[in-house]
Amino acid sequence: MIEAGKPATKLKSEAAQVLFERGLINQCTDIEALDEALASGPVTAYAGFDATGASLHVGHLMPLMTLRWLQKLGHRPIVVLGGGTSQVGDPSFRNDARPLLDGSQIAANIAGIRRSVERLVDMRGPDGALLVDNAEWLTEFRFLEFLRDYGSQFTVNRMLTFDSVKSRIEAQQPLTVLEFCYMMLQAVDFLELARRHDCTLQIGGSDQWGNIVNGIELGRRCDARRLFGLTVPLLTTASGTKMGKTADGAVWLHPEHLSSFGFWQFWRNTADADVPRFLRLFTEMPISEVIRLSELQGAELNEAKKILATQVTAIVHGPDAARAALEQGDALFSGSDEIAEPTHRMERHRLAEGLGLLELIVGVGFAASNGEARRLVEAGGVRLNGQVVDDPRRRISSGDLGAEDRLSLAVGKRRKALVEFG
RNA sequence: GGAGGAGUGCCCGAGUGGCUAAAGGGGACGGACUGUAAAUCCGUUGGCUAUGCCUACGUUGGUUCGAAUCCAACCUCCUCCA
C-alpha cells in the first residue's frame, strides 16, 4: 500500500503515472501489482455513487476524473449507481443514520446523477463506459441465500475494526444492523462486477477504503480473484474546510441545481493557494501547462483561475457553456455595469404606476424582500445606471431609461442586470 | 416500563416574567483595502402599505396587566436505570 505524497517508484503504466502526477491517488491496496495490470492490458474499473442527492457535487468529481483518465488511456470504466445500496445508507464516518430514502426519491436522484455522469465518461460505442444500477442484483437476493453465501464470508469481529464504524460505536451511537450490512452490500457489488464484467479495480473517496477492502477480500475468498482498490484524496480547500460550498449550498454538477455560470464562478473564486492543485486534479491540460500556470504570481494568477474555471466547466457542462460563462464573467467584472443583452424585462406601464427602487431590486431577484433590498440600498451597495443610489424611497421614472428603454441595475460586485421596459 | 435532561433566528449557542426581534460566535450579504484571492477592518442579517403594525423561541392550551421565560398536555430527541 502506498500513501499519498510518497514519490512514485518507477511506474510502468501510463495510467498509473498520470493518476499519480495528477494527484488523484490517495491510497492504493497494491500499487505495484495494479501498475503491472494497467501496463499489460485494459483494466475495467468502477466507482459507485449512491443516490443520496438529486445531483452529484464537486466532491464526486475526483473519482469521475479518475475514470475519465483511465478511459482516455485505454481502460474501461463502469459507473455504478446505487439504486440498491441507497435503500440502506452508508454509515461510514457518520455519527447518525441517514434518513431513509424511498423508491421514488431514489429513482429521481438516479436520473439526475446519470446526466452528469454521461458527460464525464463516454458511454457510446461497444467499448464505451458502462452504467449499471446495483439494484439489478441486490434486489434479487433472498435473505437466507444471501446470508449463507456471503454472510459466512464476513466476521463481525473484523467488521467492527473498521475506522468507518468505530467512532459510531465508541460514541455509543446506535448503528443498526441495516447500516452495518452496508459494507457487505458494497463488497458484493464489487464481486458481482468482477464476475459480470471482469472488473478488477474499485475507485472511491478516502472514506470508502474500508468498504473497498471488504470487496477485495470477498473476491479473494469466493472466487480467488485478485482485485484492487484505489482511493482519491479528500477534497479540502487551502483554508482547511471541506470544499464545495457556495452561498446556496453544495457546488452541484447538475445545471438545474447550479447554473453553469455559478459553477464557473465557483472555480474562478478559487483561493490562490489551491490553484496548482486544482489545475492538476480537475483539468486535463498537460502537466507542463499546469506548472506554467501555477507559477504565475499575484494578480496574474487570475488568468490561471479563469483557465481553471473554463476548463472544468467545459468538462462538466460542455465547451459552449464554458465559453458563455467565461464571457459572462468578463462582462460582469469589466468594471462597468454595462451588459450587452437585457437580462430582465418589465412592463412599461409599471413606471407610470410609480415603480420603487426596492421593488425593482426584488423584481430582478437581487433581494428576497423589500427589507433586504432596503438594507442593500442603505449600505451603498446598489447602483442604478452606474451611479450609487442610497435613497430607498427612490422611484424609477422614464428619465432613468437609456437607449432602447433599458436601465442597468447592479448590486455589489457580482450581480448586474440590464432591464428592458417594453 | 421507571428516573432525569433537552428542543431558541440560516447553523451553533446564551437567555429563566417586562429594558428581548432575542447576547455571542459561525455563515451569508454590503462597504473599505485589493487581484472576482487571502488576511484585516466597518456595517447589515424576520416581514410589511413602516416614527406604527404583524409574525417568531418544538405543538396546543392555560396563569398573568405582560411569557422564549411559569403551569398542563402532547410530539421529538438524548442520558441513566430495568
Side-chain angles (χ1 to χ4, degrees):
Chain A
M1 167 164 94
I2 63 150
E3 299 282 341
K6 284 199 187 156
T9 47
K10 13 175 174 19
L11 293 165
K12 295 179 198 155
S13 67
E14 197 186 353
Q17 278 170 24
V18 167
L19 294 186
F20 200 88
E21 76 186 0
R22 287 284 159 179
L24 285 165
I25 299 180
N26 176 235
Q27 281 183 300
C28 179
T29 47
D30 186 344
I31 188 70
E32 282 87 15
L34 176 60
D35 181 40
E36 195 72 51
L38 287 166
S40 61
V43 165
T44 302
Y46 100 91
F49 301 93
D50 270 352
T52 46
S55 164
L56 297 176
H57 55 76
V58 288
H60 297 114
L61 219 41
M62 280 201 280
L64 285 167
M65 287 303 289
T66 307
L67 289 181
R68 204 173 145 92
W69 277 114
L70 287 173
Q71 181 168 43
K72 197 176 263 194
L73 297 171
H75 304 284
R76 188 186 192 206
I78 299 179
V79 171
V80 173
L81 299 178
T85 36
S86 299
Q87 294 176 35
V88 173
D90 187 359
S92 295
F93 299 100
R94 290 179 61 96
N95 272 328
D96 49 5
R98 293 174 185 278
L100 285 179
L101 297 167
D102 67 42
S104 62
Q105 278 175 302
I106 291 174
N109 290 348
I110 280 185
I113 291 168
R114 180 189 292 260
R115 282 184 42 192
S116 298
V117 168
E118 282 168 348
R119 280 203 168 277
L120 282 143
V121 288
D122 189 352
M123 306 279 173
R124 292 165 304 180
D127 294 328
L130 236 54
L131 189 70
V132 294
D133 184 339
N134 63 16
E136 213 178 290
W137 54 86
L138 291 180
T139 53
E140 292 304 308
F141 287 115
R142 281 185 295 175
F143 189 58
L144 283 178
E145 189 185 297
F146 183 86
L147 281 180
R148 287 182 62 104
D149 289 351
Y150 302 117
S152 56
Q153 304 298 326
F154 292 83
T155 65
V156 171
N157 312 49
R158 181 154 158 71
M159 286 165 83
L160 286 171
T161 65
F162 284 95
D163 286 345
S164 50
V165 297
K166 248 187 195 164
S167 68
R168 175 86 71 91
I169 290 170
E170 276 164 14
Q172 303 200 322
Q173 295 295 311
L175 175 66
T176 61
V177 169
L178 176 75
E179 294 176 276
F180 194 50
C181 290
Y182 184 93
M183 59 172 93
M184 288 178 65
L185 297 182
Q186 189 166 331
V188 168
D189 276 354
F190 200 176
L191 179 66
E192 203 64 36
L193 289 165
R195 287 177 175 170
R196 293 179 179 219
H197 305 295
D198 196 27
C199 175
T200 51
L201 172 63
Q202 180 176 178
I203 293 156
S206 52
D207 57 341
Q208 292 297 306
W209 182 256
N211 292 339
I212 293 172
V213 168
N214 269 311
I216 293 173
E217 293 264 307
L218 188 65
R220 192 171 49 84
R221 285 163 176 271
C222 292
D223 293 5
R225 278 173 202 270
R226 185 83 198 269
L227 302 176
F228 302 99
L230 187 71
T231 59
V232 296
L234 182 70
L235 186 58
T236 53
T237 63
S239 47
T241 56
K242 199 165 163 189
M243 172 175 158
K245 293 280 182 179
T246 64
D248 306 314
V251 181
W252 304 110
L253 303 190
H254 193 114
E256 260 171 42
H257 295 89
L258 179 67
S259 70
S260 50
F261 179 65
F263 186 81
W264 187 90
Q265 270 292 311
F266 167 77
W267 294 100
R268 172 60 187 80
N269 285 324
T270 298
D272 287 10
D274 287 325
V275 171
R277 198 162 48 106
F278 288 1
L279 283 170
R280 257 173 226 270
L281 287 168
F282 301 111
T283 75
E284 293 172 315
M285 290 184 291
I287 284 291
S288 57
E289 182 67 2
V290 168
I291 291 171
R292 188 186 71 77
L293 290 171
S294 300
E295 281 166 355
L296 295 175
Q297 292 298 316
E300 288 194 323
L301 253 185
N302 284 332
E303 275 316 302
K305 290 181 190 180
K306 276 192 203 177
I307 292 169
L308 169 68
T310 308
Q311 295 277 324
V312 188
T313 306
I315 292 171
V316 176
H317 292 285
D320 293 343
R323 210 172 306 116
L326 174 64
E327 281 168 21
Q328 201 179 338
D330 281 340
L332 209 51
F333 291 97
S334 60
S336 87
D337 290 344
E338 280 168 39
I339 302 180
E341 289 302 308
T343 52
H344 298 79
R345 281 172 207 288
M346 282 197 173
E347 302 287 318
R348 186 161 187 130
H349 62 78
R350 296 193 60 179
L351 290 178
E353 289 162 3
L355 178 67
L357 175 61
L358 302 185
E359 221 178 317
L360 179 67
I361 294 169
V362 174
V364 301
F366 290 166
S369 66
N370 282 357
E372 189 183 333
R374 170 184 303 273
R375 278 177 236 124
L376 287 169
V377 173
E378 286 171 348
V382 175
R383 292 181 305 281
L384 188 63
N385 294 323
Q387 298 292 313
V388 174
V389 204
D390 57 7
D391 176 11
R393 278 170 307 185
R394 176 77 148 76
R395 304 222 154 252
I396 308 300
S397 69
S398 53
D400 294 313
L401 302 186
E404 297 178 76
D405 292 332
R406 294 169 176 176
L407 65 77
S408 86
L409 177 75
V411 170
K413 291 179 192 127
R414 49 188 76 173
R415 287 179 286 177
K416 301 180 186 182
L418 184 65
V419 187
E420 184 170 271
F421 288 83

